Amino acid sequence: MSARGEKGNDAAAAGRGFLLPLIGEFVEHLRHQRRCSPHTCAAAARDLAAFADYCAKARVSALGEIDLHLIRGYIAARHRGGAQPVSLHRYLSTLRAFFRHQLREGRLSANPAQTVRAPKHVRSLPVVISADALSAALDRPADDDALSARDQAIVELFYSTGLRLAELHALDLDPLAAGGRELTVTGKGGKQRIVMLGAPARAALAQWLRWRVQHAAADEPALFVSNRGRRLSRASIAARLRAWALRTGLGVPLHPHRLRHSFATHLLENSGDLRAVQELLGHAHLSTTQVYTQLDWKRLAAVYDDAHPRARRRPAARG
């Protein structure tokens, strides 16, 4: 290898080397001080590792060499690589948080990512399933076996409570074994909230619990377990939702967040209580919940267009 090649490799290694310990420290800060979920911590670690690779290729070897031009170049490179605006906003959010941490630790005097902006994106409205279609699928008789009972309980629980995938995945048996109407769950940032269990959800859970004793390992605390008797993985939960939708003839792709969106939309349509929906979803800010008011307005506008005799312009009569 030439001297120039060795020098380039040394620079690249230095570019990764100075950032990796700082990234590790920041992820630990997220985990222990901010109490972020394992998913959030893993995503931050991946995003920052990709930025460290970019810095290495740019021959950056010190924290003070990172400026807004470098970060703009990084975001532009990710954009050219196919990253969508929503992902670019996440990358920038992670970088801003990372550099804020370095500011607090006295390693920087300014946040180089603070003024960098990602391409504008239009936030799409959540896709929901109609209440009639979802109720018809849920009311369809399930097969009398453990797999069907478990899948039915998972769907009923998602729709009854509006849980996130990570929240349902983390549920243990003890809080639900008594068959109560309320459940305390731990959401993002370690924040706890109370959600409600409707009668169909309680009945589906009771049916699953009768099968669970035959399948769960003796020392397994998880509510939902696999055929091996251990906690059902997030990927498996998502896969079981897709299989359930096909088996029941739902007619649309099903995933955990679509059930969460449906829960929120149907609740808001029937109650009009945005604050209550915010509390049940565990949103920190009301603005996050307000997206469901747009869905409700679209539904009302459609009803008006279909029902009001003068909602639409009629073609002029020919004379």
Side-chain angles (χ1 to χ4, degrees), residues 47 75 78 82-94 118 121:
D47 291 347
I75 295 299
R78 297 301 298 263
Q84 297 301 306
V86 65
S87 296
L88 299 178
H89 278 266
R90 194 194 80 206
Y91 301 151
L92 268 175
S93 178
T94 301
H121 74 282

Side-chain angles (χ1 to χ4, degrees), residues 2 19-20 28 34 46 48 70 94 134 144 150 157 159 229 281 285 300-301 303:
S2 67
L19 273 176
L20 293 182
E28 288 301 300
R34 299 275 300 277
R46 286 194 303 271
L48 292 170
L70 180 79
T94 301
L134 196 49
D144 188 23
R150 187 193 64 191
L157 193 55
Y159 185 46
L281 289 174
H285 304 288
L300 292 174
V303 170

Side-chain angles (χ1 to χ4, degrees), residues 166-178:
E167 294 167 348
L168 185 135
H169 169 260
L171 287 178
D172 288 337
L173 171 65
D174 289 346
L176 287 151

Side-chain angles (χ1 to χ4, degrees), residues 156-163 176 180-185 193-199 201-202 263 267 280:
E156 286 281 11
L157 193 55
F158 268 130
Y159 185 46
S160 181
T161 61
L163 291 179
L176 287 151
R181 296 188 64 232
E182 296 180 355
L183 173 66
T184 300
V185 296
R193 71 183 189 280
I194 295 175
V195 296
M196 308 298 169
L197 297 171
R202 297 198 303 274
F263 161 84
L267 191 61
L280 290 170

Side-chain angles (χ1 to χ4, degrees), residues 159 261-273 276-277 280:
Y159 185 46
H261 292 325
S262 300
F263 161 84
T265 302
H266 300 162
L267 191 61
L268 186 61
E269 285 177 354
N270 289 286
S271 72
D273 193 334
V277 175
L280 290 170

Side-chain angles (χ1 to χ4, degrees), residues 26 29-36 97 100 104 189-190:
F26 174 67
H29 166 74
L30 293 180
R31 182 176 293 114
H32 299 296
Q33 301 300 318
R34 299 275 300 277
R35 296 186 179 181
C36 293
R100 278 197 302 271
R104 287 192 296 268

Side-chain angles (χ1 to χ4, degrees), residues 20 65-66 92 103-104 112 155 166 192 211 220 227 246 263 287 316:
L20 293 182
E65 295 176 16
I66 298 174
L92 268 175
L103 276 169
R104 287 192 296 268
V155 179
Q192 290 189 328
W211 285 102
E220 178 55 64
N227 290 334
L246 288 172
F263 161 84
S287 59

Side-chain angles (χ1 to χ4, degrees), residues 72-270:
R72 282 175 180 164
Y74 170 67
I75 295 299
R78 297 301 298 263
H79 196 193
R80 290 193 299 272
Q84 297 301 306
V86 65
S87 296
L88 299 178
H89 278 266
R90 194 194 80 206
Y91 301 151
L92 268 175
S93 178
T94 301
L95 287 172
R96 291 189 190 109
F98 173 73
F99 289 121
R100 278 197 302 271
H101 180 71
Q102 306 313 314
L103 276 169
R104 287 192 296 268
E105 296 297 316
R107 299 178 183 128
L108 287 174
S109 58
N111 188 332
Q114 192 62 45
T115 59
V116 180
R117 295 290 178 264
K120 186 177 181 180
H121 74 282
V122 178
R123 184 175 181 179
S124 58
L125 293 177
V127 178
V128 303
I129 308 164
S130 75
D132 288 343
L134 196 49
S135 293
L138 285 166
D139 290 341
R140 179 175 175 172
D143 295 334
D144 188 23
D145 59 65
L147 188 64
S148 297
R150 187 193 64 191
D151 292 353
Q152 186 80 5
I154 287 173
V155 179
E156 286 281 11
L157 193 55
F158 268 130
Y159 185 46
S160 181
T161 61
L163 291 179
R164 301 177 177 94
L165 173 58
E167 294 167 348
L168 185 135
H169 169 260
L171 287 178
D172 288 337
L173 171 65
D174 289 346
L176 287 151
R181 296 188 64 232
E182 296 180 355
L183 173 66
T184 300
V185 296
T186 302
K188 289 184 176 181
K191 295 179 180 178
Q192 290 189 328
R193 71 183 189 280
I194 295 175
V195 296
M196 308 298 169
L197 297 171
R202 297 198 303 274
L205 283 168
Q207 179 69 11
W208 159 241
L209 292 179
R210 285 191 283 272
W211 285 102
R212 184 190 178 280
V213 295
Q214 303 174 30
H215 294 274
D219 61 343
E220 178 55 64
L223 174 63
F224 294 112
V225 298
S226 68
N227 290 334
R228 294 188 296 273
R230 294 301 180 184
R231 187 181 298 272
L232 198 63
S233 69
R234 296 186 192 185
S236 294
I237 292 172
R240 295 315 307 165
L241 289 187
R242 293 192 294 269
W244 180 89
L246 288 172
R247 182 178 62 80
T248 58
L250 183 61
V252 295
L254 189 63
H255 51 77
H257 234 63
R258 181 164 287 182
L259 281 170
R260 180 170 161 86
H261 292 325
S262 300
F263 161 84
T265 302
H266 300 162
L267 191 61
L268 186 61
E269 285 177 354
N270 289 286

